[in-house]
Structure formats: structure tokens, C-alpha cells
Amino acid sequence: MIYKNHIKRSLDFLVGVLILALLWWLMIIVAFIILCTDGRPVLFKQERIGQFGKPFSIYKFRTMVRNAESIGARSTSQNDPRITSIGRFLRKTSLDELPQVFNLIKGDMSVVGYRPGVFENYEDSDFKSGMFNVKPGITGYAQVNGRSSLSLEDKRAWEMKYVNDISFFTDIKILFKTVAVVLKRSNSY
């Protein structure tokens, strides 16, 4: 309980500052490439469901054409024509997630938690399940155990497993698995 309520936030902040200090140059390069190939905006900002069911704005590099949400569905598929050519690369390498470092520093997100979705993707039972008792994460059990290939039911089961298993060692295990998944570039589009 001490880890969840006190230590985890401090570690998230430190990791966020460290990532920003180490990768600011890469973020600038990615932003410049998006700007040159597809124009503005460079960042995608969307309201997601955070801890205790409260909304927050998540930041990502834009990987889809401008106004993609007005053109098609809110979720994407592997061959979604709205994904730009640079967007495919950014998604495959997970570089589109880098701006979430600002969510970490602000305290909206944790390094490890449930992956936050849009309000429409949740049912009343999700809000009563206890899933939102923790902060959403950049990675989590669902991301390292199938990611986009999981059914919604399986994804929720993994997310609840994290709520019940939360600990420093669980977070470390998920982080190592995340590195392996990203390096293999599996389950991404």
C-alpha cells in the first residue's frame, strides 16, 4: 500500500523527468518530421478516463490524418487508411507514445497501469470494478499480453489483474516485458 500510494508517484515523476532529459532531442526530431510530412498539429490530444474515472487529456504524436475522428471510427484497425506513412512507423516503434512523458510529469498517468480509453469504451460495470482505483499507465499487463489483439473482455481481465497485483516487483516485471514487446514490435499498428 505504501508503494501504491506514495512511492509509485515519486518514481513516475523521476522516470518522466529522466525520459524527457534523455529523449528531448528525439521528440524534437519526430515533431519536425510530422510537421514536414503532414503539417500541424504535431501532437494529438484526446480526453481519456483517468484515476477514479476522472477525465484527463492524453498526449501522443499525431499518427493519423488531420480530423481523423470526424472521418471514421474512434478506434483504429491494422490497415486503417487514416494512418499516415510516418504514423505507421511511429506506431510500430511506439514512438508516438513519447509525449505521454508530460502526462507522467503532470501526474495524470503512471508508467504502469491500465491503458486509458475513451469514455465510450467503458460500461457502468467498469466504473464499479475498481479498475480506476489506480492511475492509467503507458504500459500494463494488457500491453505485454496481447495489446491490440486482445478482446475487450480479456483486456479488462488483465487490467483488473494489475489492480490486484500492484507492487514494485510487478511494475518491474511489466517494464521488462514491455521492452521485449517493443523490440519485437509485436501487436502494434
Side-chain angles (χ1 to χ4, degrees), residues 23-92:
L23 297 179
W24 63 268
W25 59 272
L26 181 58
M27 293 174 71
I28 289 173
I29 290 171
V30 170
F32 183 73
I33 291 170
I34 293 169
L35 185 64
C36 290
T37 59
D38 201 43
R40 294 178 187 215
V42 169
L43 292 179
F44 173 72
K45 177 180 160 186
Q46 186 180 53
E47 191 172 272
R48 301 280 180 100
I49 302 300
Q51 188 175 28
F52 307 121
K54 294 179 182 173
F56 75 99
S57 294
I58 195 170
Y59 304 105
K60 293 178 153 196
F61 282 119
R62 184 170 59 85
T63 60
M64 300 179 84
V65 297
R66 286 182 290 266
N67 302 316
E69 288 182 331
S70 63
I71 297 170
R74 286 181 67 104
S75 60
T76 57
S77 61
Q78 190 162 4
N79 295 316
D80 195 318
R82 299 172 298 162
I83 300 174
T84 63
S85 56
I86 186 67
R88 288 198 191 289
F89 173 77
L90 293 175
R91 285 173 176 237
K92 191 172 195 99

Side-chain angles (χ1 to χ4, degrees), residues 111-129:
V111 176
V112 180
Y114 68 90
R115 193 69 188 139
V118 293
F119 187 79
E120 300 86 51
N121 289 351
Y122 297 103
E123 298 177 8
D124 287 340
S125 60
D126 295 322
F127 289 94
K128 296 173 187 169
S129 69

Side-chain angles (χ1 to χ4, degrees), residues 101-118:
V101 69
F102 297 110
N103 291 112
L104 276 180
I105 293 169
K106 284 175 53 183
D108 295 330
M109 293 179 72
S110 182
V111 176
V112 180
Y114 68 90
R115 193 69 188 139
V118 293

Side-chain angles (χ1 to χ4, degrees), residues 167-187:
S167 72
F168 177 75
F169 295 108
T170 298
D171 284 3
I172 295 297
K173 180 174 79 174
I174 291 170
L175 287 173
F176 277 112
K177 284 186 169 186
T178 299
V179 170
V181 167
V182 169
L183 291 177
K184 285 195 285 186
R185 296 181 180 151
S186 56
N187 300 314

Side-chain angles (χ1 to χ4, degrees), residues 6-20:
H6 303 289
I7 298 171
K8 190 169 171 61
R9 170 63 189 131
S10 298
L11 289 175
D12 289 336
F13 180 80
L14 289 173
V15 167
V17 169
L18 182 64
I19 291 170
L20 187 58

